[in-house]
Amino acid sequence: SEYTIWRFNDKSRSIPPGQTLRVEVLATAVIHWSNDDWATTHDINTVDTGLGLYIANLPTSGDAAGQRIQFTFYWPESERWEGQDFTVIINEK
């Protein structure tokens, strides 16, 4: 598969190099993320799949082994932040 899936009930902790990190949640969210220890940040909106899931793909193909992808969530419907950061590490080849 070209994706590693991250869900609240199955939090992937690592991803093979070259794969895309797909985040799946049950509500509309903005994913606030970084691949350089929060020196720079990016925001990506989830997309409604029509199946009760909202997804966003975090591009990780250019990231090096050992690099960390960190992210959190903003929930626009309830106007709140998740209040926790999550981390996925790029594996060695």
Side-chain angles (χ1 to χ4, degrees):
S1 173
E2 63 185 275
Y3 302 103
T4 293
I5 307 297
W6 186 99
R7 299 179 183 119
F8 275 100
N9 65 348
D10 186 16
K11 297 177 180 104
S12 298
R13 299 197 191 291
S14 63
I15 183 173
Q19 281 196 346
T20 298
L21 179 61
R22 174 168 281 176
V23 177
E24 296 182 355
V25 292
L26 300 177
T28 301
V30 177
I31 301 173
H32 185 69
W33 67 281
S34 177
N35 61 356
D36 59 7
D37 290 321
W38 299 112
T40 59
T41 60
H42 314 275
D43 290 328
I44 187 168
N45 295 317
T46 58
V47 175
D48 186 351
T49 65
L51 302 171
L53 285 176
Y54 297 79
I55 65 169
N57 295 326
L58 306 183
T60 59
S61 62
D63 294 336
Q67 198 164 355
R68 299 182 322 158
I69 308 302
Q70 296 167 287
F71 58 96
T72 191
F73 299 89
Y74 178 73
W75 306 102
E77 290 178 4
S78 58
E79 298 181 350
R80 69 173 179 85
W81 286 93
E82 181 63 28
Q84 179 180 359
D85 293 346
F86 302 94
T87 301
V88 176
I89 298 172
I90 309 295
N91 288 334
E92 298 287 332
K93 287 189 177 187

